[in-house]
Amino acid sequence: LGPNHTGFGSGVSMMPEGSWRTPLGDLQVDAELAASIAGSSRIIDLDEAAHRHEHSIEVQLPFIQYLYGSPKIVPICFLMQDLATAREVGEAVAKAIAARDAVIIASTDLTHYEPQTEAEAKDRKVIDAVLSLDKSGVGHIVDSYGVSMCGPGPVVTAIVAAKALKAGRGDLLAYATSGDITGDRRSVVGYASLALRRA
C-alpha cells in the first residue's frame, strides 16, 4: 500500500496483473488475490497508470525480495487518503487474505523538511497513534498538527486490515531522520519502521 505522489491514475489504483522488475529480479502480481480484493470494494480501480511513475511501492520491493525471495504482490496506490476510503480498502484486504500467509506493507515518509526537533515531535504523535492501532487518531493528528507525511491513507488502511485480522499491538522497530545521516538537522524527513502484531 502506498501513496500516489504524481496524481496519475484513479483515486485508489490496483495493478491487477503483470510483474515489477527490480535489480534483484521480478515480482509477479497475484492476479487472483488482486481480483478478490477488488471484488470486495467499490472504490478500487484496476488501473496501471498510477503505478507507472510512482516510487512509494517500488522502494519497498528490494526489501521484500531480500527477506522473502520472490513472493507475489498486490500493489495498491492511494490518491484518496480519507478515513472512509482507508476503512473500505482495509476491510477488503483483510477479507481477501484472512486464510492466506500474507504480509501487509504500508509505505510512507513522516514529516517532510522541518527542523529535527519539530519533525521528531510531530512524528512521535503519529507513531503513538499507529502503535495504539488508532485509525481515526492518525488522520486527526496529521490534520491537527500539520504533519506532512505522504501516506496516511495507506497507514490507516494497514491498521484497519490488521485489526480485522486480530492485531492487538504495534511495535516501533526504528525511527530516524535524514538529519541523522547527513548531519544537517535544519530541514529533515522523518522515517519509522513499525510492526502491527497479534497480541
Side-chain angles (χ1 to χ4, degrees):
L1 313 171
N4 182 332
H5 292 87
T6 67
F8 291 115
S10 63
V12 181
S13 302
M14 175 190 290
M15 189 166 169
E17 59 186 3
S19 62
W20 288 48
R21 177 160 292 165
T22 82
L24 300 181
D26 292 356
L27 286 170
Q28 295 297 318
V29 173
D30 189 329
E32 178 186 345
L33 181 56
S36 178
I37 295 170
S40 296
S41 171
R42 297 164 296 136
I43 58 175
I44 297 174
D45 292 318
L46 303 180
D47 172 22
E48 294 182 18
H51 299 278
R52 290 194 182 131
H53 303 287
E54 178 53 55
H55 63 275
S56 65
I57 294 172
E58 72 180 13
V59 297
Q60 304 298 334
L61 301 184
F63 297 103
I64 293 170
Q65 289 172 295
Y66 179 80
L67 291 170
Y68 300 110
S70 296
K72 291 184 178 180
I73 61 171
V74 178
I76 306 174
C77 190
F78 292 75
L79 188 58
M80 297 173 7
Q81 299 202 46
D82 57 280
L83 179 58
T85 297
R87 183 180 291 120
E88 181 172 323
V89 177
E91 290 171 355
V93 169
K95 180 179 177 183
I97 68 171
R100 290 175 174 251
D101 182 15
V103 174
I104 302 165
I105 298 173
S107 179
T108 186
D109 296 344
L110 294 174
T111 298
H112 290 65
Y113 309 122
E114 295 190 28
Q116 176 101 3
T117 55
E118 294 175 26
E120 287 176 343
K122 289 182 176 183
D123 292 347
R124 186 71 240 187
K125 294 180 190 307
V126 174
I127 289 167
D128 287 345
V130 176
L131 294 177
S132 300
L133 305 181
D134 184 354
K135 61 183 182 291
S136 301
V138 172
H140 175 73
I141 289 164
V142 167
D143 292 341
S144 298
Y145 293 94
V147 182
S148 54
M149 68 184 288
C150 51
V155 170
V156 174
T157 299
I159 292 171
V160 169
K163 287 181 78 170
L165 296 166
K166 311 302 182 196
R169 74 176 210 271
D171 294 328
L172 176 62
L173 306 177
Y175 175 79
T177 74
S178 57
D180 296 325
I181 303 302
T182 66
D184 182 355
R185 294 179 169 82
R186 295 169 298 173
S187 180
V188 306
V189 178
Y191 305 94
S193 178
L194 300 95
L196 307 182
R197 308 179 189 276
R198 291 188 177 96

